[in-house]
Amino acid sequence: MKYSNKENYFDAIIVGSGTCGATIAKELSKKHKNVLILERGGNEPLKESLMGYAKISNEVRVTDKLKDMRAFTTGGTTAMYLAVADLPPIKTFKNLGIDLTEDLEQARKEIPIGEISDDLIGDQAKKLGESAKDLGYDWKKKLMLVDQSKFNSKNFYEVKWKARTFIESALRDGATLINQAIVSKVLHDNKKAIGVEYTVGKKKEVLKAYGEKIILAAGSLATPIILKDSGIKNVVSHGFYINPSIGLIGSIPGLASAENFCGCMGAKLDDEIELMDANFHRFLFNVGMLVSAKPLRIASYPKHVGITVKVKEPVGGELTKEGKYSKKLTEEDHRKLLKGIDAANEVLKNAGARKIFKTGLISGGALGTIKIKEHIDEKLQTEYEGLYVCDGSILPESDRVTPTLTLVCLAKYLARHLAASL
C-alpha cells in the first residue's frame, strides 16, 4: 500500500541512531535499502570536554532519587560511555528463539573487541587489582571496545568505538539522516505500521514519513514512551531494572600513576553484587570530582584509586500515565549496596587508600521494559505488523550484561531478517 510520494517513502525508518539504530542502518544501507534515520540530537563533532558533554547529555528520572544519563547526538550514548563490554548471553537468547552466534562472529570482525593489554593499564588500576586478588577476589580483565592499535597515551576518547562510525558508513551507502527529529508516535493502519510522525528542532510543524518497516531504536527510556503514545498500552507491564551503582574513591600517598581505561577489570562478589575498576583517565576524573563537589582533589589525580559497586535489583516499577518512570529501591537493594560498599572499602584500604569517599548513586537506565515472547516476537516485531523494537528496552533481566556488544548483535540479527523480507 502506498501512503505518500516516492521521495517520502522508505524501505526502513529507524528511530534513533545509537548502537542498534546505527548498526541496522549500516547493514540495510550496504544492501542497497532506502533508509531514513531520525535522530533526536544534533550532529556536531564529538569532543570529550565539559562543553562537549554538556551539549549532548540529558537526564531522565528513573526512581524518586535516581536519574539516568543519556546522550542526544548522532551515535547516541556511545558518545560518552566507558567502552566496557560483555559477551552477549547466547544461551538466554537461544531459549527465546534468537540465535546471535553468527552476529557475534561478524561483530568481532567489525568492532575492536579485546582486553586492555597490560602495558596500557595504569598503576592505579594495577594497584587496585593487586589488592583485590590479595583479598581473594577473582579479579579479571573485562572486554573493551577500544582500538588499542591507535592509542597514543592521550587519545582515550578517540580510540573508543562509537556508533557514529556505523552511521557514517550508512550515509556513504545512501541512507538519509535527519537530526533534531523528535518522533511522537508511529502511524498504523489496521494493525500495520506505515510511518511515523515527528517534528524537527523547535519547529511546531508535524511531519510524516512512511516506510515498509519501522524500527524503534530510540533507547530504553524513549522507545516505551513512543510505543505507549502509539497505542500499545501494555509496555512496561512488568516493570524494569536499573542496576544501581555507587563509586568509592580514595588516595594512596606516594602513588604516581599514569592514566587508565576505566572499567577494564572487575570481579563478582556474588550473583547479585559486582565490583569494577573505577580508575578514570584524567578528564573523566576531573568531571567526577566536580560532580562530587571535591574540586581540590583534581590536583592530586595520580594518587587516587576508585572502585564501583553495582548491584542487581529485582524488576519492578512502572511507566505512569504521564509518561514518567517510577520505581523504589527496596531495603534489600540497599543491603546489597552496603555489602558491596564494605567490600570495596576493604579493597581500597588494603591497597593503602586513605580519605575514602562515596560518589552519588547512579542508575544504568530503565532496561528490560519490553519482553521478548510477550511484547515482541522472536523477530523483534510488535503486535503491529512491520513495527520492530531493538534497543536496551528488550534486554532480558536474567542476564545483566554491559549491553553495547549485545545490542550490536541484536541489531545485526534484526537487520538480517529485515533485509531478507524487504
Side-chain angles (χ1 to χ4, degrees), residues 337-354:
L337 281 166
L338 287 173
K339 182 179 177 181
I341 289 169
D342 287 343
N345 255 316
E346 183 184 24
V347 173
L348 288 175
K349 290 178 179 178
N350 187 59
R354 304 175 184 175

mmCIF file with all atom_site columns, all heavy atoms in Angstrom, residues 337-354:
data_model
loop_
_atom_site.group_PDB
_atom_site.id
_atom_site.type_symbol
_atom_site.label_atom_id
_atom_site.label_alt_id
_atom_site.label_comp_id
_atom_site.label_asym_id
_atom_site.label_entity_id
_atom_site.label_seq_id
_atom_site.pdbx_PDB_ins_code
_atom_site.Cartn_x
_atom_site.Cartn_y
_atom_site.Cartn_z
_atom_site.occupancy
_atom_site.B_iso_or_equiv
_atom_site.pdbx_formal_charge
_atom_site.auth_seq_id
_atom_site.auth_comp_id
_atom_site.auth_asym_id
_atom_site.auth_atom_id
_atom_site.pdbx_PDB_model_num
ATOM 1   N N   . LEU A 1 337 ? 23.818 -3.010  48.410 1.00 0.00 ? 337 LEU A N   1
ATOM 2   C CA  . LEU A 1 337 ? 24.731 -1.886  48.179 1.00 0.00 ? 337 LEU A CA  1
ATOM 3   C C   . LEU A 1 337 ? 25.704 -1.734  49.341 1.00 0.00 ? 337 LEU A C   1
ATOM 4   O O   . LEU A 1 337 ? 26.908 -1.541  49.144 1.00 0.00 ? 337 LEU A O   1
ATOM 5   C CB  . LEU A 1 337 ? 23.936 -0.596  47.975 1.00 0.00 ? 337 LEU A CB  1
ATOM 6   C CG  . LEU A 1 337 ? 23.326 -0.391  46.589 1.00 0.00 ? 337 LEU A CG  1
ATOM 7   C CD1 . LEU A 1 337 ? 22.293 0.722   46.617 1.00 0.00 ? 337 LEU A CD1 1
ATOM 8   C CD2 . LEU A 1 337 ? 24.407 -0.078  45.545 1.00 0.00 ? 337 LEU A CD2 1
ATOM 9   N N   . LEU A 1 338 ? 25.195 -1.833  50.565 1.00 0.00 ? 338 LEU A N   1
ATOM 10  C CA  . LEU A 1 338 ? 26.057 -1.701  51.740 1.00 0.00 ? 338 LEU A CA  1
ATOM 11  C C   . LEU A 1 338 ? 27.083 -2.843  51.809 1.00 0.00 ? 338 LEU A C   1
ATOM 12  O O   . LEU A 1 338 ? 28.245 -2.622  52.165 1.00 0.00 ? 338 LEU A O   1
ATOM 13  C CB  . LEU A 1 338 ? 25.216 -1.682  53.013 1.00 0.00 ? 338 LEU A CB  1
ATOM 14  C CG  . LEU A 1 338 ? 24.417 -0.397  53.261 1.00 0.00 ? 338 LEU A CG  1
ATOM 15  C CD1 . LEU A 1 338 ? 23.495 -0.559  54.470 1.00 0.00 ? 338 LEU A CD1 1
ATOM 16  C CD2 . LEU A 1 338 ? 25.355 0.793   53.470 1.00 0.00 ? 338 LEU A CD2 1
ATOM 17  N N   . LYS A 1 339 ? 26.659 -4.045  51.461 1.00 0.00 ? 339 LYS A N   1
ATOM 18  C CA  . LYS A 1 339 ? 27.594 -5.181  51.444 1.00 0.00 ? 339 LYS A CA  1
ATOM 19  C C   . LYS A 1 339 ? 28.701 -4.932  50.426 1.00 0.00 ? 339 LYS A C   1
ATOM 20  O O   . LYS A 1 339 ? 29.888 -5.184  50.690 1.00 0.00 ? 339 LYS A O   1
ATOM 21  C CB  . LYS A 1 339 ? 26.839 -6.472  51.107 1.00 0.00 ? 339 LYS A CB  1
ATOM 22  C CG  . LYS A 1 339 ? 27.722 -7.715  51.103 1.00 0.00 ? 339 LYS A CG  1
ATOM 23  C CD  . LYS A 1 339 ? 26.909 -8.972  50.791 1.00 0.00 ? 339 LYS A CD  1
ATOM 24  C CE  . LYS A 1 339 ? 27.807 -10.202 50.727 1.00 0.00 ? 339 LYS A CE  1
ATOM 25  N NZ  . LYS A 1 339 ? 27.027 -11.440 50.410 1.00 0.00 ? 339 LYS A NZ  1
ATOM 26  N N   . GLY A 1 340 ? 28.318 -4.432  49.243 1.00 0.00 ? 340 GLY A N   1
ATOM 27  C CA  . GLY A 1 340 ? 29.314 -4.130  48.227 1.00 0.00 ? 340 GLY A CA  1
ATOM 28  C C   . GLY A 1 340 ? 30.236 -3.003  48.640 1.00 0.00 ? 340 GLY A C   1
ATOM 29  O O   . GLY A 1 340 ? 31.444 -3.036  48.378 1.00 0.00 ? 340 GLY A O   1
ATOM 30  N N   . ILE A 1 341 ? 29.675 -1.991  49.303 1.00 0.00 ? 341 ILE A N   1
ATOM 31  C CA  . ILE A 1 341 ? 30.481 -0.863  49.778 1.00 0.00 ? 341 ILE A CA  1
ATOM 32  C C   . ILE A 1 341 ? 31.505 -1.330  50.801 1.00 0.00 ? 341 ILE A C   1
ATOM 33  O O   . ILE A 1 341 ? 32.676 -0.897  50.779 1.00 0.00 ? 341 ILE A O   1
ATOM 34  C CB  . ILE A 1 341 ? 29.572 0.238   50.357 1.00 0.00 ? 341 ILE A CB  1
ATOM 35  C CG1 . ILE A 1 341 ? 28.804 0.934   49.227 1.00 0.00 ? 341 ILE A CG1 1
ATOM 36  C CG2 . ILE A 1 341 ? 30.382 1.257   51.161 1.00 0.00 ? 341 ILE A CG2 1
ATOM 37  C CD1 . ILE A 1 341 ? 27.704 1.848   49.707 1.00 0.00 ? 341 ILE A CD1 1
ATOM 38  N N   . ASP A 1 342 ? 31.099 -2.215  51.692 1.00 0.00 ? 342 ASP A N   1
ATOM 39  C CA  . ASP A 1 342 ? 32.045 -2.748  52.686 1.00 0.00 ? 342 ASP A CA  1
ATOM 40  C C   . ASP A 1 342 ? 33.195 -3.476  52.000 1.00 0.00 ? 342 ASP A C   1
ATOM 41  O O   . ASP A 1 342 ? 34.372 -3.323  52.381 1.00 0.00 ? 342 ASP A O   1
ATOM 42  C CB  . ASP A 1 342 ? 31.319 -3.706  53.644 1.00 0.00 ? 342 ASP A CB  1
ATOM 43  C CG  . ASP A 1 342 ? 30.404 -2.984  54.627 1.00 0.00 ? 342 ASP A CG  1
ATOM 44  O OD1 . ASP A 1 342 ? 30.574 -1.754  54.791 1.00 0.00 ? 342 ASP A OD1 1
ATOM 45  O OD2 . ASP A 1 342 ? 29.529 -3.643  55.218 1.00 0.00 ? 342 ASP A OD2 1
ATOM 46  N N   . ALA A 1 343 ? 32.880 -4.269  50.990 1.00 0.00 ? 343 ALA A N   1
ATOM 47  C CA  . ALA A 1 343 ? 33.924 -4.997  50.260 1.00 0.00 ? 343 ALA A CA  1
ATOM 48  C C   . ALA A 1 343 ? 34.838 -4.036  49.515 1.00 0.00 ? 343 ALA A C   1
ATOM 49  O O   . ALA A 1 343 ? 36.066 -4.199  49.503 1.00 0.00 ? 343 ALA A O   1
ATOM 50  C CB  . ALA A 1 343 ? 33.283 -5.987  49.292 1.00 0.00 ? 343 ALA A CB  1
ATOM 51  N N   . ALA A 1 344 ? 34.245 -3.017  48.880 1.00 0.00 ? 344 ALA A N   1
ATOM 52  C CA  . ALA A 1 344 ? 35.045 -2.040  48.141 1.00 0.00 ? 344 ALA A CA  1
ATOM 53  C C   . ALA A 1 344 ? 35.963 -1.272  49.083 1.00 0.00 ? 344 ALA A C   1
ATOM 54  O O   . ALA A 1 344 ? 37.130 -1.005  48.754 1.00 0.00 ? 344 ALA A O   1
ATOM 55  C CB  . ALA A 1 344 ? 34.122 -1.075  47.395 1.00 0.00 ? 344 ALA A CB  1
ATOM 56  N N   . ASN A 1 345 ? 35.442 -0.912  50.245 1.00 0.00 ? 345 ASN A N   1
ATOM 57  C CA  . ASN A 1 345 ? 36.264 -0.232  51.257 1.00 0.00 ? 345 ASN A CA  1
ATOM 58  C C   . ASN A 1 345 ? 37.453 -1.091  51.655 1.00 0.00 ? 345 ASN A C   1
ATOM 59  O O   . ASN A 1 345 ? 38.589 -0.604  51.795 1.00 0.00 ? 345 ASN A O   1
ATOM 60  C CB  . ASN A 1 345 ? 35.420 0.078   52.485 1.00 0.00 ? 345 ASN A CB  1
ATOM 61  C CG  . ASN A 1 345 ? 35.040 1.542   52.581 1.00 0.00 ? 345 ASN A CG  1
ATOM 62  O OD1 . ASN A 1 345 ? 35.865 2.421   52.361 1.00 0.00 ? 345 ASN A OD1 1
ATOM 63  N ND2 . ASN A 1 345 ? 33.786 1.799   52.891 1.00 0.00 ? 345 ASN A ND2 1
ATOM 64  N N   . GLU A 1 346 ? 37.206 -2.375  51.826 1.00 0.00 ? 346 GLU A N   1
ATOM 65  C CA  . GLU A 1 346 ? 38.272 -3.289  52.221 1.00 0.00 ? 346 GLU A CA  1
ATOM 66  C C   . GLU A 1 346 ? 39.360 -3.350  51.150 1.00 0.00 ? 346 GLU A C   1
ATOM 67  O O   . GLU A 1 346 ? 40.562 -3.328  51.461 1.00 0.00 ? 346 GLU A O   1
ATOM 68  C CB  . GLU A 1 346 ? 37.693 -4.685  52.464 1.00 0.00 ? 346 GLU A CB  1
ATOM 69  C CG  . GLU A 1 346 ? 38.719 -5.698  52.943 1.00 0.00 ? 346 GLU A CG  1
ATOM 70  C CD  . GLU A 1 346 ? 38.146 -7.104  53.088 1.00 0.00 ? 346 GLU A CD  1
ATOM 71  O OE1 . GLU A 1 346 ? 37.126 -7.400  52.417 1.00 0.00 ? 346 GLU A OE1 1
ATOM 72  O OE2 . GLU A 1 346 ? 38.735 -7.897  53.844 1.00 0.00 ? 346 GLU A OE2 1
ATOM 73  N N   . VAL A 1 347 ? 38.946 -3.415  49.882 1.00 0.00 ? 347 VAL A N   1
ATOM 74  C CA  . VAL A 1 347 ? 39.913 -3.465  48.783 1.00 0.00 ? 347 VAL A CA  1
ATOM 75  C C   . VAL A 1 347 ? 40.741 -2.187  48.744 1.00 0.00 ? 347 VAL A C   1
ATOM 76  O O   . VAL A 1 347 ? 41.975 -2.226  48.591 1.00 0.00 ? 347 VAL A O   1
ATOM 77  C CB  . VAL A 1 347 ? 39.196 -3.682  47.436 1.00 0.00 ? 347 VAL A CB  1
ATOM 78  C CG1 . VAL A 1 347 ? 40.182 -3.556  46.270 1.00 0.00 ? 347 VAL A CG1 1
ATOM 79  C CG2 . VAL A 1 347 ? 38.517 -5.045  47.394 1.00 0.00 ? 347 VAL A CG2 1
ATOM 80  N N   . LEU A 1 348 ? 40.088 -1.040  48.880 1.00 0.00 ? 348 LEU A N   1
ATOM 81  C CA  . LEU A 1 348 ? 40.804 0.236   48.838 1.00 0.00 ? 348 LEU A CA  1
ATOM 82  C C   . LEU A 1 348 ? 41.771 0.372   50.010 1.00 0.00 ? 348 LEU A C   1
ATOM 83  O O   . LEU A 1 348 ? 42.927 0.782   49.837 1.00 0.00 ? 348 LEU A O   1
ATOM 84  C CB  . LEU A 1 348 ? 39.801 1.397   48.841 1.00 0.00 ? 348 LEU A CB  1
ATOM 85  C CG  . LEU A 1 348 ? 39.005 1.614   47.546 1.00 0.00 ? 348 LEU A CG  1
ATOM 86  C CD1 . LEU A 1 348 ? 37.971 2.719   47.747 1.00 0.00 ? 348 LEU A CD1 1
ATOM 87  C CD2 . LEU A 1 348 ? 39.922 1.970   46.386 1.00 0.00 ? 348 LEU A CD2 1
ATOM 88  N N   . LYS A 1 349 ? 41.321 0.034   51.212 1.00 0.00 ? 349 LYS A N   1
ATOM 89  C CA  . LYS A 1 349 ? 42.193 0.161   52.389 1.00 0.00 ? 349 LYS A CA  1
ATOM 90  C C   . LYS A 1 349 ? 43.369 -0.806  52.308 1.00 0.00 ? 349 LYS A C   1
ATOM 91  O O   . LYS A 1 349 ? 44.493 -0.471  52.708 1.00 0.00 ? 349 LYS A O   1
ATOM 92  C CB  . LYS A 1 349 ? 41.385 -0.070  53.662 1.00 0.00 ? 349 LYS A CB  1
ATOM 93  C CG  . LYS A 1 349 ? 40.411 1.061   53.963 1.00 0.00 ? 349 LYS A CG  1
ATOM 94  C CD  . LYS A 1 349 ? 39.591 0.776   55.215 1.00 0.00 ? 349 LYS A CD  1
ATOM 95  C CE  . LYS A 1 349 ? 38.641 1.944   55.523 1.00 0.00 ? 349 LYS A CE  1
ATOM 96  N NZ  . LYS A 1 349 ? 37.799 1.667   56.715 1.00 0.00 ? 349 LYS A NZ  1
ATOM 97  N N   . ASN A 1 350 ? 43.116 -2.012  51.763 1.00 0.00 ? 350 ASN A N   1
ATOM 98  C CA  . ASN A 1 350 ? 44.200 -2.973  51.609 1.00 0.00 ? 350 ASN A CA  1
ATOM 99  C C   . ASN A 1 350 ? 45.238 -2.483  50.604 1.00 0.00 ? 350 ASN A C   1
ATOM 100 O O   . ASN A 1 350 ? 46.416 -2.836  50.690 1.00 0.00 ? 350 ASN A O   1
ATOM 101 C CB  . ASN A 1 350 ? 43.634 -4.320  51.155 1.00 0.00 ? 350 ASN A CB  1
ATOM 102 C CG  . ASN A 1 350 ? 44.672 -5.426  51.131 1.00 0.00 ? 350 ASN A CG  1
ATOM 103 O OD1 . ASN A 1 350 ? 45.281 -5.725  52.154 1.00 0.00 ? 350 ASN A OD1 1
ATOM 104 N ND2 . ASN A 1 350 ? 44.854 -6.036  49.971 1.00 0.00 ? 350 ASN A ND2 1
ATOM 105 N N   . ALA A 1 351 ? 44.781 -1.630  49.674 1.00 0.00 ? 351 ALA A N   1
ATOM 106 C CA  . ALA A 1 351 ? 45.702 -1.040  48.697 1.00 0.00 ? 351 ALA A CA  1
ATOM 107 C C   . ALA A 1 351 ? 46.453 0.155   49.272 1.00 0.00 ? 351 ALA A C   1
ATOM 108 O O   . ALA A 1 351 ? 47.343 0.707   48.610 1.00 0.00 ? 351 ALA A O   1
ATOM 109 C CB  . ALA A 1 351 ? 44.927 -0.613  47.456 1.00 0.00 ? 351 ALA A CB  1
ATOM 110 N N   . GLY A 1 352 ? 46.068 0.572   50.483 1.00 0.00 ? 352 GLY A N   1
ATOM 111 C CA  . GLY A 1 352 ? 46.730 1.708   51.123 1.00 0.00 ? 352 GLY A CA  1
ATOM 112 C C   . GLY A 1 352 ? 45.997 3.021   50.987 1.00 0.00 ? 352 GLY A C   1
ATOM 113 O O   . GLY A 1 352 ? 46.555 4.090   51.278 1.00 0.00 ? 352 GLY A O   1
ATOM 114 N N   . ALA A 1 353 ? 44.752 2.966   50.532 1.00 0.00 ? 353 ALA A N   1
ATOM 115 C CA  . ALA A 1 353 ? 43.994 4.198   50.292 1.00 0.00 ? 353 ALA A CA  1
ATOM 116 C C   . ALA A 1 353 ? 43.520 4.839   51.596 1.00 0.00 ? 353 ALA A C   1
ATOM 117 O O   . ALA A 1 353 ? 43.164 4.154   52.551 1.00 0.00 ? 353 ALA A O   1
ATOM 118 C CB  . ALA A 1 353 ? 42.798 3.908   49.395 1.00 0.00 ? 353 ALA A CB  1
ATOM 119 N N   . ARG A 1 354 ? 43.517 6.162   51.581 1.00 0.00 ? 354 ARG A N   1
ATOM 120 C CA  . ARG A 1 354 ? 43.012 6.959   52.700 1.00 0.00 ? 354 ARG A CA  1
ATOM 121 C C   . ARG A 1 354 ? 41.997 7.974   52.164 1.00 0.00 ? 354 ARG A C   1
ATOM 122 O O   . ARG A 1 354 ? 41.814 8.114   50.973 1.00 0.00 ? 354 ARG A O   1
ATOM 123 C CB  . ARG A 1 354 ? 44.169 7.703   53.379 1.00 0.00 ? 354 ARG A CB  1
ATOM 124 C CG  . ARG A 1 354 ? 45.312 6.809   53.867 1.00 0.00 ? 354 ARG A CG  1
ATOM 125 C CD  . ARG A 1 354 ? 46.448 7.659   54.412 1.00 0.00 ? 354 ARG A CD  1
ATOM 126 N NE  . ARG A 1 354 ? 47.591 6.836   54.800 1.00 0.00 ? 354 ARG A NE  1
ATOM 127 C CZ  . ARG A 1 354 ? 48.753 7.338   55.214 1.00 0.00 ? 354 ARG A CZ  1
ATOM 128 N NH1 . ARG A 1 354 ? 48.907 8.676   55.282 1.00 0.00 ? 354 ARG A NH1 1
ATOM 129 N NH2 . ARG A 1 354 ? 49.739 6.537   55.548 1.00 0.00 ? 354 ARG A NH2 1
#
